[in-house]
Each structure stands twice: as structure tokens, then as C-alpha cells.
Amino acid sequence: MPDNGLSARDLSVYYGQKQAVKEISLDFAAREVTALIGPSGCGKSTFLRSLNRMNDLIGGARITGEIWIEGQNINDPSVDVVLLRQKIGMVWQRPNPFHKSIYENIAFGPRYHGIKNKKELDAIVESSLRKAALWEETKDRLHQSALALSGGQQQRLCIARSLAVKPSIILMDEPASALDPVSTAKIEELIAELKRDYCIIIVTHNMHQAARISDKTAFFYMGELVEYDDTQKMFTNPSKKQTDDYISGRFG
């Protein structure tokens, strides 16, 4: 397994009788961005949600196989899911800030995990907002509602919120698909910065985005992993015709 990364082994996900993800094995390394690509309904978001057990929240979902982090299989019944989601953060497609101030959005997680000291919380809020390239835009209005921020700022706030609890892995489910081009560029710049310290796994429909920001790419189709390789090779010389057809826009 990659150091400080994540490994999936023979992972399958079922919704009732339907198998949405079929025996996928993948390794995700620290300080790398892996893009999951494929047409709608191919299983990539279902697979992503499995990596911090978000599928537990879906009625009828059942998972087989193993997902390893720090020598532990996260699907083991003894795993504390709250602590797991502290290690493996999630950023959703649409910004979902809490109906609280900017400060309280960031402080919520650390406070939940037992940090009460105001100086320590202040430092975490500033550090998280700086890492998310949002400090300069918000430092004078930390106690105003997060809902007053623009869509792009809200998404960076959600990234800052996930960073505040010190994860080692960040999952992103199409984090820029609801944003304008300028905000999308800022999110992409931010991902490039964050990968210095984190393992990042991102689902994207945008082929150009996958090519720009990822080190590795995994192509999903009909619940199966068709191809996985270095992004540059995948986009210039894929091994499978199906991958080439999808990347070049002939289907999907």
C-alpha cells in the first residue's frame, strides 16, 4: 500500500440487487492527484463515496472488498466512522457551507473533536483559510455569514473546513462543476497547492481539467475500471481503444 495513501482491493458496491462498482483495486499515493473519469452512471462517484463510507448513509447499499488506510481496513465494523471521515475529507459538487459564520464553519470540526481553546481555534481558522487561498478575502469578515460568499468562495470555504480537522486524504466529487471559469481556475490552482501535503482523489467530467490537474487517471465504464495510468500517458497514448474513444469524445 502507498505510504500515507489509500488502497482499494476488490471493491464492489451494490444498491439492492444492482452492482454499481465491480471488484475495483486501486492504489492512491500521498502527494498525488488521481482523477476518476467516465460517463455518467459509470460508478466513479459511488466508488469515491466508498472511500470514506459515505455509502453507509444510502439505504440498501452494500459493500464487499477492502479499503486500507494506515494498516486498517475501513470496512471493518470496529472502525469509528467519525474519526475515519476526519482522516478522509470530502468536498461535494455544490458548495454546502453551514448556516453559520465563516469562522464557525472552520471551527466546527476542531471544536467537535475536542479543541476548545480560542487561540488554538483562531490559529486553525487562519491556517485553514490560508491553505484554501481564502484568508485575504475573508479575514475582515470572519463573523459574517458564510452564505454571503460567492459560489467559488463557498467551495474554497468547504475545502478549508475539511482541512481544519487535519485529514491526510481529500475526496472531491466534481468540486468545480457548479462554478464559473474564474472560480474553477482558482479551485484547480488550489488543488495543485494542496497536493504537496495531501493525497487527493477527484471525480470530474471535464477531460481538460483531469489532464491539467491530475498525476494519475482512472477510467471507469459500466462499474468497471477500464484503465489506470499516468495522466499524460492516458491522454496521449491510452492502452485501450475504449479509453481513447471516451477521451477523444467519440462516446460518453
Side-chain angles (χ1 to χ4, degrees):
M1 192 189 91
D3 182 36
N4 287 329
L6 192 68
S7 280
R9 289 288 171 268
D10 299 320
L11 188 76
S12 293
V13 183
Y14 300 83
Y15 295 132
Q17 296 301 308
K18 181 180 185 294
Q19 187 172 5
V21 169
K22 301 173 183 175
E23 296 180 358
I24 288 177
S25 296
L26 273 174
D27 289 332
F28 302 98
R31 294 177 291 283
E32 276 191 351
V33 178
T34 303
L36 310 182
I37 65 170
S40 295
C42 69
K44 58 190 186 296
S45 289
T46 296
F47 176 80
L48 188 79
R49 287 195 300 269
S50 302
L51 300 179
N52 70 347
R53 288 186 48 177
M54 294 304 291
N55 285 323
D56 289 13
L57 306 174
I58 298 172
R62 180 170 61 87
I63 294 170
T64 62
E66 300 171 341
I67 300 165
W68 291 89
I69 179 173
E70 297 173 1
Q72 186 175 41
N73 175 17
I74 72 165
N75 290 329
D76 189 289
S78 66
V79 167
D80 183 326
V81 177
V82 172
L83 290 178
L84 171 70
R85 291 180 189 146
Q86 184 182 354
K87 285 180 196 168
I88 307 177
M90 173 71 94
V91 177
W92 299 99
Q93 184 172 2
R94 294 192 175 274
N96 60 342
F98 302 144
H99 289 236
K100 297 174 180 286
S101 70
I102 293 165
Y103 183 99
E104 287 300 325
N105 264 268
I106 308 297
F108 180 88
R111 202 180 267 132
Y112 179 85
H113 290 287
I115 296 172
K116 307 295 183 197
N117 181 283
K118 185 172 186 305
K119 274 192 175 173
E120 198 175 347
L121 287 171
D122 288 350
I124 290 170
V125 168
E126 179 174 345
S127 167
S128 302
L129 288 169
R130 283 190 184 280
K131 285 179 183 172
L134 196 56
W135 174 250
E136 293 301 325
E137 295 165 55
T138 60
K139 63 183 179 182
D140 298 322
R141 48 175 174 152
L142 292 176
H143 299 289
Q144 294 177 16
S145 171
L147 302 181
L149 296 172
S150 70
Q153 288 173 324
Q154 286 185 18
Q155 192 64 304
R156 281 183 282 145
L157 179 70
C158 292
I159 292 170
R161 188 175 67 195
S162 74
L163 298 178
V165 293
K166 298 187 168 68
S168 55
I169 294 158
I170 304 170
L171 311 178
M172 298 185 170
D173 194 357
E174 298 196 59
S177 66
L179 304 179
D180 62 83
V182 172
S183 298
T184 295
K186 286 188 176 177
I187 295 290
E188 290 183 7
E189 287 167 19
L190 178 54
I191 290 168
E193 286 287 317
L194 292 174
K195 84 166 185 179
R196 296 176 185 179
D197 299 306
Y198 302 94
C199 166
I200 299 174
I201 306 166
I202 179 171
V203 165
T204 178
H205 270 111
N206 185 325
M207 293 301 97
H208 297 295
Q209 183 174 78
R212 282 192 300 266
I213 65 171
S214 68
D215 302 288
K216 299 271 184 8
T217 297
F219 170 50
F220 285 61
Y221 185 67
M222 302 284 283
E224 296 181 349
L225 177 63
V226 175
E227 187 168 350
Y228 168 74
D229 213 327
D230 289 340
T231 295
Q232 189 172 7
K233 181 181 181 302
M234 192 97 128
F235 278 81
T236 56
N237 187 26
S239 300
K240 304 276 179 72
K241 181 179 185 300
Q242 200 172 25
T243 311
D244 190 30
D245 286 349
Y246 181 71
I247 285 172
S248 60
R250 284 192 283 275
F251 87 95

